[in-house]
Amino acid sequence: MSNVCILGSTGSIGRSTLDVIACHKHYNVFALVANSNHDLMIEQCQQFKPRFVVMQNPDASKRVKKTLASLNLPCCVIDSARAAEEVASHPDVDIVMSAIVGAAGLLPTLAAVEQGKRILLANKESLVMSGELFINKVKQHNATLLPIDSEHNAIFQAMPSHVQGASFDAELHQQGVSKILLTGSGGPFLNRDLTTFCDISVEQAVAHPNWSMGQKISVDSATMMNKGLEFIEAKWLFNANVDDIEVVIHPQSVIHSMVQYVDGSVLAQMGNPDMRTPIAHALAFPERIESGVAPLNFSDMLDFTFVKPDYQRYPNLKLAIDACREGQYATTTVNAANEVSVAAFLSGRIGFNDIYKVNEQTLMAMPNRQLESLDEILALDSRAREIANELVRKWEQ
């Protein structure tokens, strides 16, 4: 029996994780962490009866605590300032699903790493914000790091078997790997007239053609910043150079990513676009378990298409790749600015095209500096958010 802590249990990844766990008796839900969706958290507690519950929104925490008490459920609701870190690093926890969106997921994930847990990483911002520091802590504490993003999980599966589980420390070229091919759907605006991008609404931006995701990630997919953040994450997960990674648009989202070898072979991982597949893979690795996802029906497939990304259409993708080449200060800055700009777009304060303007100008305003500690990373993240918020107010509609 493995005890699982889910950071972000009410989000799409968290819900999919619980769907997989519900099908397998050898996983026990030990702790659930969420922000404010108290109604869904109560439902999850009724079904899985975790030992600990954390709601990061104080009002939601009070409501959950009161309701669970009235239902006589044996769940302890923790509401301390560092509650998420406490449950993620609890000595009885074996597996931590890191699925809190954004910078908020960094500290509890690091807390789990420092206790040598098995980390199922869906929070790409942890590596975007603090890649070198994060990977060094994984090595130092002998933690297990398994990628959950469908693309990185696909790359992981297509890597040589003897480097899986420690690919962040491998020399790819010595293993015969010549390139990582990171696929992306292109989002809902792959074929939209560029002159109409200024008219894109929130409803249009969050309507992803293939995946069911939260609003922030859906907007990131529409701008392809999501792929840019995944590019940065891939650099750290697979110890790759910037020139070792290539983004390829694959609208069907069936091939989730590929690894190209020096002999000309290309290994691809395929499957229906459902996050339960990579979740099941990482939960059971190196074994395999059922995920609840239907297998591909190849007779129904008409074609696969691949195109290079157009940086005029996706300037945020180029910005993220350039930041990756620039260094840690730049990737931390771009991530912080993007969280601010996307939130402003979702609340109707700025337009779709302004997301890139805020991100680019925030990076331009941030001086190049070395980041050697977590405190320095968090301070830079905070300053980048201040700059981005000033720019949002400048362009506010």
Side-chain angles (χ1 to χ4, degrees):
M1 181 70 72
S2 296
N3 285 330
V4 182
C5 168
I6 303 177
L7 303 173
S9 71
T10 60
S12 60
I13 298 293
R15 296 194 305 271
S16 292
T17 303
L18 290 171
D19 283 346
V20 175
I21 288 175
C23 300
H24 300 279
K25 294 182 179 179
H26 48 281
Y27 298 103
N28 173 59
V29 177
F30 183 83
L32 296 176
V33 179
N35 182 28
S36 59
N37 192 340
H38 48 82
D39 288 335
L40 181 53
M41 175 60 82
I42 290 165
E43 290 179 19
Q44 292 177 346
C45 289
Q46 288 177 298
Q47 181 176 358
F48 295 97
K49 298 177 177 60
R51 181 172 169 187
F52 294 110
V53 177
V54 176
M55 296 299 292
Q56 295 179 311
N57 178 287
D59 291 336
S61 183
K62 291 176 184 176
R63 294 186 66 169
V64 168
K65 183 181 292 188
K66 181 178 179 181
T67 303
L68 295 182
S70 70
L71 295 171
N72 293 316
L73 287 173
C75 308
C76 176
V77 180
I78 307 176
D79 52 13
S80 66
R82 303 186 64 179
E85 296 166 57
E86 292 170 17
V87 296
S89 59
H90 193 285
D92 290 342
V93 168
D94 302 300
I95 300 171
V96 175
M97 167 58 77
S98 173
I100 295 175
V101 175
L106 175 60
L107 292 180
T109 305
L110 278 176
V113 167
E114 290 171 351
Q115 294 303 314
K117 306 297 185 186
R118 182 188 187 104
I119 311 296
L120 278 52
L121 188 67
N123 171 264
K124 60 180 65 64
E125 290 83 2
S126 291
L127 287 175
V128 172
M129 287 180 66
S130 63
E132 185 175 10
L133 180 146
F134 189 97
I135 292 299
N136 285 341
K137 283 186 177 291
V138 169
K139 297 176 186 177
Q140 177 185 350
H141 298 283
N142 199 30
T144 300
L145 185 62
L146 300 172
I148 296 300
D149 274 348
S150 61
E151 295 82 0
H152 301 99
N153 184 266
I155 295 163
F156 181 95
Q157 294 193 51
M159 282 286 174
S161 59
H162 59 278
V163 304
Q164 289 179 349
S167 55
F168 50 79
D169 209 20
E171 294 294 336
L172 294 185
H173 292 286
Q174 293 180 12
Q175 305 300 327
V177 174
S178 62
K179 186 154 289 200
I180 290 170
L181 300 170
L182 186 67
T183 63
S185 70
F189 307 132
L190 177 60
N191 299 306
R192 181 170 175 141
D193 186 342
L194 285 173
T195 63
T196 69
F197 270 41
C198 59
D199 300 321
I200 290 172
S201 68
V202 170
E203 293 73 22
Q204 292 169 333
V206 300
H208 194 281
N210 300 332
W211 296 93
S212 175
M213 306 180 292
Q215 285 197 323
K216 195 269 181 182
I217 298 176
S218 296
V219 173
D220 282 349
S221 180
T223 66
M224 281 199 80
M225 174 59 87
N226 200 41
K227 203 56 50 182
L229 299 180
E230 289 172 7
F231 187 104
I232 299 164
E233 185 182 10
K235 165 186 162 40
W236 294 110
L237 280 173
F238 305 109
N239 194 29
N241 296 316
V242 172
D243 293 333
D244 295 333
I245 309 169
E246 180 181 342
V247 176
V248 180
I249 293 181
H250 168 52
Q252 293 81 16
S253 295
V254 173
I255 293 178
H256 298 304
S257 275
M258 299 168 279
V259 174
Q260 181 176 297
Y261 286 83
V262 293
D263 61 3
S265 299
V266 177
L267 301 187
Q269 188 268 344
M270 304 170 64
N272 281 313
D274 191 311
M275 289 306 299
R276 290 176 295 174
T277 296
I279 290 167
H281 172 264
L283 272 174
F285 180 81
E287 307 299 328
R288 297 275 182 171
I289 59 174
E290 292 187 12
S291 65
V293 179
L296 287 173
N297 185 339
F298 286 90
S299 62
D300 288 342
M301 295 183 191
L302 297 177
D303 55 26
F304 287 161
T305 54
F306 303 93
V307 294
K308 288 185 177 181
D310 175 4
Y311 290 144
Q312 280 191 299
R313 184 174 297 275
Y314 304 114
N316 277 290
L317 173 60
K318 185 176 188 302
L319 183 69
I321 294 173
D322 289 345
C324 187
R325 196 181 298 276
E326 185 74 11
Q328 186 66 77
Y329 92 94
T331 62
T332 303
T333 298
V334 165
N335 178 71
N338 188 64
E339 289 192 19
V340 171
S341 60
V342 171
F345 169 70
L346 287 169
S347 63
R349 297 175 63 197
I350 63 174
F352 185 80
N353 287 337
D354 295 328
I355 296 173
Y356 170 70
K357 295 177 185 176
V358 171
N359 295 344
E360 180 197 35
Q361 295 202 21
T362 301
L363 181 57
M364 290 174 61
M366 190 66 71
N368 188 339
R369 54 176 294 193
Q370 291 295 113
L371 301 175
E372 298 179 356
S373 70
L374 181 59
D375 286 343
E376 289 178 344
I377 289 169
L378 295 176
L380 185 140
D381 174 85
S382 178
R383 177 57 185 147
R385 290 170 192 274
E386 290 175 1
I387 294 171
N389 274 305
E390 290 170 4
L391 290 166
V392 165
R393 286 190 286 272
K394 175 181 175 181
W395 284 305
E396 193 162 3
Q397 294 178 337

